[in-house]
Amino acid sequence: MARFGLRTRLVLAFLLVAVVSSATSSALTYREARSAVLASAQDTAVASFREQVQNLAPSLPPDPDTLRELLFVIAAKAKPQPWVVFAEYGSLRVSSGQNPTSTVITPELRRAALTTTHASFERVVRDGVPYFTVGMPLMVRTDPARAAAVPSGLVVFAVMRMTEQEANIEALFTAARDGALPGLAVAVVPALLAARSVLRPVRELRRAAHSMGSGRLDTRITVRGRDELADLARTFNESAGELERSVDELQQAEARARRFASDVSHELRTPLAGMLAVTEVLDEDAEGLDPDTARAVRLVSAETGKLAVLVEDLMEISRFDARAAELHTDEVDAAETVRKTLAARHWQGRVRTDLPPGIRVRLDPRRFDVVVANLVGNALRHGGEPVTVRLSVQGEHLIVEVADSGPGIAPEVLPHIFDRFFKADAARTRSAGSGLGLAITQENVRLHGGTVRAANAPGGGAVFTVELPLRGRPDGDTGPDGDARPGEGVAHS
């Protein structure tokens, strides 16, 4: 039953009830009609036979020929069907038929006819043919002074075929069956109507749930009636209203948090630029300072640089969240672009490359530089050397693989590796990067219409795989118009 839909199950349940009701009604009607037909035939036969037997006045012991004539008279007046009449007196056997005795008359009926003073009867089936048999003793008064009659020893039997009654009963059964089948066919119509009335609110609920799943949280269901389905609709509307209010509050809080991060980052850029200029001058003069002061100067310079990187990354993430990030695509040589990224950071000696020539791809060179630099920098910092960068083409996509020789990534960390500020080691509260590098990498790859995933190599080490379309973003969307701000997307992890 689980394979069928709710509509089919409702119709089948309705039809099952109709079948059971029709079968029960037909069975009861058939039983009552059959009993009435058989009782009517039996009562008529017994009454008629008793009347004919009571009118017999044979001499005892009876003469066979005379007794046979009397049996013919009884048989000629048979009701409601023709009889074959048999008489038994001691060893004498006489009948109105060809055989003096009958196998239809059972020993039980003979004993009952001999031991009682009234008619006895039973129904018997022989070779598939139904019979009704009646046995009755002939009563005589031997003493006129006595009112009661006594058995004379002569017993008369009547054997009647009941084929006509069985035919009538079979006709009743056929009529009941044939009448039930159209009834079941007619029952399909109210079953479909009932299923439709039940399923209409269920379909509305399904459409409303699908609509809410698509983001339309203002979806509501029209409440009809006061039944359980109406209660379900009201509960759904109440839940949808609460969900809409909760989501709206979360969106407002998220928007405030984004504006706060963006505003803080913008406000910090100017003072940070001044601080960076001052720390550069102090770095140059650090050699002439005493050791403690020089160490403090270099620490301030390093932390100021980290703060500047964090601010730039926060601004980049804010642009992604605000859907303000843009693509400026150009057709470039993928291998040459990767070489420029490594050369700009002086990583050629620490990174192995497998860069087939001639791979042309349409992408944003600056954002692709950020992706490669973040992945290679992350591998050098948290993995183990040597780090390998491979390029390949699969179908209509450019595949970039960055693999390291470190211990790999813990399985419980893999699902969160691209989360913002996620740290594999909770005890490591500080690192050389901002904690946003891989998140920015993922956003840049998505902006190109590609994917990035992390895994562990079978031989050890982590592998980051970037998949980008060779012909650019499939939908052609490059983000809002306008130029990128200077310094956005700085490669740090």
Side-chain angles (χ1 to χ4, degrees), residues 362-417:
R362 175 166 289 279
L363 47 71
D364 186 327
R366 182 187 58 78
R367 293 190 180 277
F368 184 67
D369 172 81
V370 172
V371 169
V372 175
N374 279 348
L375 293 179
V376 174
N378 187 76
L380 291 172
R381 198 161 26 251
H382 303 295
E385 298 185 30
V387 173
T388 304
V389 180
R390 294 186 183 88
L391 295 181
S392 61
V393 174
Q394 293 182 6
E396 295 297 322
H397 291 83
L398 170 69
I399 307 299
V400 183
E401 291 186 355
V402 178
D404 62 50
S405 303
I409 306 172
E412 64 273 12
V413 173
L414 278 174
H416 309 285
I417 197 68

Side-chain angles (χ1 to χ4, degrees), residues 330-391:
D330 192 9
E331 186 172 324
V332 300
D333 184 290
E336 186 61 28
T337 304
V338 172
R339 290 191 189 96
K340 289 180 180 179
T341 298
L342 300 179
R345 293 158 179 82
H346 308 290
W347 286 339
Q348 301 95 319
R350 304 174 62 188
V351 178
R352 297 175 181 175
T353 59
D354 181 6
L355 310 175
I359 301 177
R360 305 293 295 180
V361 58
R362 175 166 289 279
L363 47 71
D364 186 327
R366 182 187 58 78
R367 293 190 180 277
F368 184 67
D369 172 81
V370 172
V371 169
V372 175
N374 279 348
L375 293 179
V376 174
N378 187 76
L380 291 172
R381 198 161 26 251
H382 303 295
E385 298 185 30
V387 173
T388 304
V389 180
R390 294 186 183 88
L391 295 181

Side-chain angles (χ1 to χ4, degrees), residues 258-275:
R258 289 174 179 172
R259 285 196 301 271
F260 175 78
S262 178
D263 294 344
V264 169
S265 300
H266 279 289
E267 293 298 326
L268 288 176
R269 290 189 73 184
T270 300
L272 275 175
M275 293 174 63

Side-chain angles (χ1 to χ4, degrees), residues 279 282-283 286 289-304:
T279 55
L282 291 176
D283 279 341
L289 301 175
D290 61 86
D292 292 338
T293 304
R295 191 162 43 253
V297 167
R298 293 189 181 94
L299 179 60
V300 170
S301 178
E303 294 301 321
T304 303

Side-chain angles (χ1 to χ4, degrees), residues 10-88:
L10 286 173
V11 172
L12 290 178
F14 196 94
L15 290 179
L16 179 61
V17 173
V19 167
V20 173
S21 301
S22 177
T24 303
S25 176
S26 298
L28 293 175
T29 302
Y30 170 76
R31 188 184 68 177
E32 294 299 323
R34 181 176 183 274
S35 299
V37 169
L38 294 177
S40 175
Q42 292 172 183
D43 293 344
T44 301
V46 171
S48 175
F49 185 67
R50 181 186 297 112
E51 180 182 358
Q52 297 301 321
V53 171
Q54 288 175 349
N55 292 331
L56 284 178
S59 60
L60 297 176
D63 177 65
D65 293 333
T66 303
L67 184 58
R68 183 176 294 107
E69 291 177 1
L70 294 174
L71 296 183
F72 278 123
V73 173
I74 296 175
K77 298 179 180 180
K79 294 180 183 180
Q81 299 294 326
W83 297 337
V84 177
V85 186
F86 299 86
E88 296 181 0

